[in-house]
Amino acid sequence: MNTIYMDNNATTQVDQAVFDEMKPFFTEMYGNPSSMHRFGGQVGVHLKKARQRVATLLNCEPDEIIFTSCGSESDNTAIRSALNAQPNKRHIITTRVEHPAILSLCKFLKKKEGYDVTYLGTDAHGRIDLDDLKNSIRKETAIISIMWANNETGNIYPIEEIAKIATDNGVIFHTDAVQAVGKIPIDLKKTPIDMLSLSGHKLHAPKGVGALFVRKKLPFRPFLIGGHQERSRRAGTENTTGIIALGKACELAQDHMTAENIQVKDLRDKLETELLNSIPDSILNGDKENRLPNTSNISFGYVEGEAILLMMDQFDICASSGSACTSGSLEPSHVLRAMGIPFTFAHGSIRFSLSRFNTEQEVDFVIKTMPDIIKNLRKLSPFSAEKAAPACTKSYSE
Amino acid sequence: MWEYSDIVKDHFLNPRNAGKIENANGVGEVGSLACGDALTLYIQVNDDNVITDSKFQTFGCASAIASSSALTEMLIGKTVEEAQKITNKDIAKYLGGLPREKMHCSVMGQEALEQAIKNMRGEAPPKAEHSHEGELICECFGIFDEEILHAIKENNLKSVEDITNFTKAGGGCGKCIDDLERLLAEAQGEGVCPTPSDQPSFPAQGMTNIQRMHLIESVIDDEIRPMLQADGGDIRLMDIDRSTVLVKFMGMCSNCPSSQLTLHNVVEAKLQEKVDPDLTVKEG
Ligand SMILES: Cc1ncc(COP(=O)(O)O)c(C=O)c1O
């Protein structure tokens, strides 16, 4: 049986067309675009094309794109740049549901470098309150960083409104759009975002390439210092194959987004509706209305996520979980905790994230397989709706 | 992804003795849903004090389920006295080992067993209740000092990270890390650390000359050279004369003004630590 891959928020399959596009740059056109000879120089033309393709997808200028090594580097660069460019401003606003690329950095900045950080909380569906945001802004706020779409729940945040609030208050605004780019339309001409991060491997390009959009005229401080690549904004010989692949992936996303979203969303909705219907004590996590079309995060009560995933693995179904045991940490996902999902459900959360490569047959197979997996694990469990969680001294704190 | 042994996988996919024993002689309930894993263990004991049946109900990850399943298999047929001797290490061993981060699953098994035996003897209710004399250390997971001290001694734990792997304490908000360090120091003060009598005080103690030379060679090759090479340097072992080791620096190190510092702070320090504290190193 073939692998059923429903873990596309973790990483995606490189599209064959993307792979074909990048291949010649490994063994044939392997030159360095900075070289003085035509052999190297010719690669520069392809980088330019790639930059244009990324810019087209985001509707920005090619000059505003800096290629990086991954989403995490883009995030780190953006935050550090805003702080270094405004040394007198020592306050950061972000949310409790960001990816660790932002959260761990902010924790580090607070602990080791004395910055002040405000973490906006969420409601039970993971939504943030824009009044909260407005009230947190201070004179010394250097940057607001809020993700466009959440990797665990798929929640889409009202970035247009948030960007406007930031601009009205003269605060630099960065968004981690790693999960949004390629999945939902983004228009940087219309939305006053200052910086935006994206990562290739989430949209069918390979791992190890990302980009940071930096709006023209925004004061910028490089993260990696060295050669003059990326107009001295990011040193290091260009990852030519990766960049060219990312360009192609953006072009494909641009071409297919509308049709794909309908197809992927239909499959996701079918999967979600059927699972929620056929499995008792299952709940949907997140904001049902404002969500990425590919993501569904479902909690199955009274069973544990890692056990569910390993059972699914027996059927070659790939997904992920917000349970404590899968992360190597001992607490369930910070996103579910921020939302206040009860323990009875937080440990049993499974995230299905689809892509254009999933088929209806695959969805049907998962729909058919999941109920027995959950039923069998519940047979082992000492808990049930009748015998719910005994009290624990536990109190989560951030 | 965790690397589970085939035995763990087998017990997870085909759990033995899952379920409940109605009117069991002894029941032990540990953990809670909030904490991410929980186990209810049932034992049935005959007039000869032999465990004739055991079943479990577990909420938790694969290794929690496998540990519970293995425990029931280990229990059936043993006398209560024999069963009492089962430690978390025995459970892990039965399973062909557990990832270190998952050792707390085996600890949970042992705790449930202890509780079930107490319950069978009429000394305790099924659900473990902590005596109020103990000190609550980890508020996130509700772990008391006695459990932590027990795990430190039983498994010869050496770091706070280990304590978290075995008991979960410290794996939540992290507020109790200082307390864990204190308990660790306390336990080590009580001689948990290997005592001088059963452990050589330095690695090369009691070695023959040849063994000692090989050890020096391998410390230079495996530990010192990679450090120097990272900075573009290199080192060669020239000779060993009793407790004097003669070496030659090469590459960047040979004309590096700080090579004398490197000699003492890196080469000599490492050899003293890994071989013999009496060694001196000279450039030859
Ligand atoms: C929202 C979000 N931000 C950042 C990242 C990090 O991206 P990368 O793996 O390219 O560093 C991820 C990927 O897991 C993500 O989902």
Side-chain angles (χ1 to χ4, degrees), chain B residues 128-274:
Chain B
E129 268 171 32
H130 290 280
S131 65
H132 292 290
E133 285 149 39
E135 184 191 352
L136 178 64
I137 301 287
C138 172
E139 288 173 25
C140 292
F141 294 107
I143 320 259
F144 284 71
D145 56 349
E146 9 174 307
E147 292 162 78
I148 296 168
L149 285 169
H150 180 82
I152 295 175
K153 285 184 196 155
E154 183 69 44
N155 298 287
N156 201 3
L157 304 183
K158 292 272 195 315
S159 67
V160 170
E161 205 183 341
D162 268 348
I163 298 182
T164 308
N165 288 339
F166 279 72
T167 67
K168 298 178 102 171
C173 70
K175 213 164 63 187
C176 62
I177 299 289
D178 287 345
D179 288 324
L180 297 181
E181 272 168 7
R182 171 171 59 80
L183 289 177
L184 199 60
E186 214 171 276
Q188 285 172 343
E190 286 174 27
V192 176
C193 268
T195 45
S197 57
D198 56 45
Q199 186 90 3
S201 61
F202 59 91
Q205 192 177 51
M207 279 191 179
T208 66
N209 265 339
I210 297 274
Q211 285 172 334
R212 192 159 148 278
M213 273 156 66
H214 280 309
L215 184 60
I216 291 173
E217 251 184 312
S218 71
V219 170
I220 289 180
D221 282 346
D222 300 341
E223 306 202 26
I224 298 173
R225 174 161 304 121
M227 282 197 273
L228 299 184
Q229 282 176 342
D231 289 329
D234 207 344
I235 188 169
R236 186 189 289 163
L237 174 63
M238 306 298 288
D239 202 356
I240 302 168
D241 180 15
R242 269 174 259 262
S243 22
T244 308
V245 180
L246 283 175
V247 298
K248 191 171 165 56
F249 281 125
M250 290 175 307
M252 298 275 277
C253 293
S254 57
N255 43 25
C256 171
S258 60
S259 69
Q260 278 309 308
L261 275 178
T262 310
L263 190 70
H264 283 284
N265 294 355
V266 178
V267 183
E268 194 169 88
K270 201 82 209 162
L271 286 172
Q272 287 177 348
E273 176 201 334
K274 296 284 168 156

Side-chain angles (χ1 to χ4, degrees), chain A residues 15 17 109 207 234 240 247 284 322 374 378-379 390:
Chain A
D15 192 294
L109 287 169
K207 295 148 192 72
R234 199 273 187 187
T240 53
L284 179 70
I374 303 298
R378 281 186 181 157
K379 271 195 220 145

Side-chain angles (χ1 to χ4, degrees), chain A residues 304 306 325 347 380 392 394 397, chain B residues 2 4 34 58 62 102 141:
Chain A
E304 198 279 328
E306 184 201 281
C325 292
H347 288 288
L380 298 180
C392 182
K394 183 143 195 156
S397 47
Chain B
W2 302 112
Y4 287 131
T58 294
K102 295 285 190 179
F141 294 107

Side-chain angles (χ1 to χ4, degrees), chain A residues 37-79:
Chain A
H37 38 73
R38 275 173 300 151
F39 179 69
Q42 65 178 342
V43 182
V45 179
H46 295 272
L47 292 189
K48 197 167 161 197
K49 187 159 117 195
R51 201 180 301 277
Q52 180 61 57
R53 284 168 162 174
V54 177
T56 305
L57 178 66
L58 303 177
N59 198 19
C60 67
E61 299 299 321
D63 285 357
E64 294 174 316
I65 298 296
I66 301 173
F67 288 113
T68 65
S69 69
C70 60
S72 303
E73 185 194 323
S74 300
D75 285 345
N76 275 260
T77 305
I79 302 267

Side-chain angles (χ1 to χ4, degrees), chain A residues 158-230:
Chain A
I159 292 304
E160 288 87 354
E161 286 171 71
I162 294 170
K164 191 162 177 319
I165 293 171
T167 323
D168 288 349
N169 286 278
V171 180
I172 293 181
F173 176 57
H174 164 255
T175 182
D176 175 343
V178 165
Q179 292 293 347
V181 173
K183 296 191 186 113
I184 53 173
I186 285 176
D187 187 341
L188 290 170
K189 289 261 150 67
K190 278 214 196 104
T191 317
I193 294 168
D194 293 307
M195 292 186 275
L196 174 147
S197 304
L198 66 96
S199 177
H201 72 105
K202 309 284 186 185
L203 65 149
H204 304 291
K207 295 148 192 72
V209 64
L212 178 66
F213 156 85
V214 180
R215 189 171 292 282
K216 241 180 215 152
K217 301 215 176 90
L218 185 79
F220 181 78
R221 300 286 180 276
F223 188 59
L224 279 191
I225 295 174
H228 56 268
Q229 294 88 353
E230 301 296 296

Side-chain angles (χ1 to χ4, degrees), chain B residues 15-20 53-57 69 72-73 76:
Chain B
R16 330 283 203 268
N17 309 310
K20 218 170 160 162
D53 197 10
S54 175
K55 286 199 188 303
F56 77 91
Q57 289 179 301
S69 164
T72 57
E73 288 275 277
I76 296 173

